[in-house]
Amino acid sequence: MPLLPRTVLTCGLFFIASLSVSAEESGFRRPLIHNGQLDGWIVTGCEVTVADGVLTLKSGDGFVRSDHRYRDFILELEWRTTKADAWDSGIYIRSDLPRDGQKWPDRYQINLLKGNEGNLIGVEGARSQGLSVDGQWNKMKVTVTGRRVKMEMNDKPAWEAEGLDNERGYIGFQAEVTQGGIFEFRNIYLTELGYKPLFNGQDLTGWEGADRDASLCWSVEDSLLMCNGKPGPWLRSAAKYDDFNLRLEYKTRPGGNSGVYCRVPADGNHHGAGAGVEVQILDDAAEQYKNLKPYQYCGSVYAIAPALQRVGKPAGEWNSLEINCKGTAYVVTHNGVVIVHACEEAFPEIKQRLREGFLGLQNHSEEVWFRNIRIGPAD
């Protein structure tokens, strides 16, 4: 967060984050099903539908996971089974990816097997009994802080236990439709504890035009932060930041181009010694970009570290972007895939760049939309 003590990060070696925020002090709450879309979810091995706000595990045996990994959080949802008997599914928290050849992760699963609904597999004392109602919607609230986790079922305390070894991981659903039947989930909300919003969905509070009135090209429409591409300034954060984890979602028009400035000076310089950096936003699939340099494609730390994969969604669809800045290291995750892991050993130019400065959103004379912009402690 703003101007915090800095610690050095080298590739492969992670130190304790310089931002120290009690998990209960702040949080960013959002729906995980947005406008009936599967934005922010990655589906493997199964068929999933969304209708009227209900996520349905419809067929197959597979895994539905979040694109982000989460540390401390509150997960709220409702679930029910459509099978008359012998149902089975599960909700994953702080999970890894499934190992090669496996359909589901090894841990941590809140069981939805008949007779075991609400039990956290592999964690001593995390057992629930008699709180779920067969064939009806069941409310569940899961709070994860550090190694501790507690659960409520249908507004009643179920259990509280300790034993989560993963410091962060995915949230997901187990599709086991072949044997366990169809499951439905709705009203899925996640509060990322320790994060705070950088955009309130109403106005430009917390942001300013870098050298001119921001309203020349920036506005809020339908709770989205929009750049209309008209002549005007880039959008600069009111505060400076050093180490942080920044998460947001964006979408562009076909051929769209924008960027996220990190640790830039007041003038927005993101080129050369004494500057900040830009993380590129681009519609990689557009014909006019087919011959760019590798470091110019989406998610790259521009002119320094190229994206290792191009995983952007088609223009007009929402993409998730996560930028983790810690010391002289930058990790960029695009639509759930780590595409940049840049440190000074591999990219010496990073040492010449600023380690504190403003955040910014680029006006590249094209339309671009942003939502769910939030910031928390660096990993």
Side-chain angles (χ1 to χ4, degrees), residues 234-252:
W234 59 279
L235 201 61
R236 184 176 62 206
S237 63
K240 291 183 179 181
Y241 298 86
D242 50 15
D243 293 344
F244 58 83
N245 184 276
L246 176 68
R247 295 177 174 182
L248 57 84
E249 295 159 36
Y250 74 88
K251 68 176 180 178
T252 69

Side-chain angles (χ1 to χ4, degrees), residues 12-212:
L13 183 62
F14 291 83
F15 294 91
I16 296 174
S18 64
L19 175 58
S20 178
V21 177
S22 167
E24 302 298 341
E25 285 181 5
S26 63
F28 180 83
R29 188 174 187 264
R30 64 189 176 97
L32 292 187
I33 299 294
H34 198 284
N35 292 333
Q37 302 297 316
L38 273 172
D39 302 327
W41 294 95
I42 296 174
V43 180
T44 55
C46 58
E47 181 186 2
V48 178
T49 62
V50 177
D52 299 324
V54 177
L55 171 67
T56 302
L57 309 181
K58 189 173 182 180
S59 66
D61 295 337
F63 189 41
V64 183
R65 71 163 174 93
S66 60
D67 52 0
H68 292 297
R69 292 193 293 169
Y70 297 101
R71 284 171 294 204
D72 294 346
F73 60 84
I74 300 172
L75 175 65
E76 302 164 87
L77 56 81
E78 296 176 56
W79 64 269
R80 73 177 179 185
T81 177
T82 63
K83 194 176 182 183
D85 195 14
W87 52 80
D88 193 6
S89 183
I91 300 168
Y92 283 90
I93 58 172
R94 289 250 192 104
S95 81
D96 296 317
L97 295 177
R99 289 184 291 169
D100 289 344
Q102 290 190 341
K103 300 172 183 176
W104 308 298
D106 292 330
R107 59 183 184 177
Y108 293 97
Q109 185 197 121
I110 298 175
N111 207 346
L112 296 182
L113 172 69
K114 183 180 180 181
N116 292 276
E117 297 93 336
N119 295 345
L120 181 57
I121 298 174
V123 176
E124 185 176 356
R127 297 189 62 81
S128 175
Q129 188 172 6
L131 296 180
S132 64
V133 181
D134 296 354
Q136 297 186 23
W137 287 106
N138 292 273
K139 293 175 62 177
M140 182 181 289
K141 181 178 180 181
V142 182
T143 303
V144 174
T145 54
R147 300 186 73 245
R148 297 196 64 81
V149 55
K150 65 180 179 180
M151 193 192 77
E152 300 171 27
M153 183 86 78
N154 293 324
D155 298 320
K156 297 180 180 179
W159 47 260
E160 185 169 355
E162 183 170 341
L164 297 185
D165 294 327
N166 288 357
E167 291 185 358
R168 56 185 178 140
Y170 300 104
I171 290 169
F173 301 109
Q174 180 192 45
E176 198 172 359
V177 181
T178 305
Q179 296 292 330
I182 295 172
F183 268 74
E184 297 176 330
F185 302 88
R186 72 180 186 186
N187 295 328
I188 309 170
Y189 287 86
L190 184 78
T191 302
E192 296 171 77
L193 298 172
Y195 282 73
K196 72 172 187 178
L198 290 184
F199 170 55
N200 62 18
Q202 300 175 1
D203 54 39
L204 297 180
T205 298
W207 298 89
E208 57 193 10
D211 56 2
R212 283 167 286 173

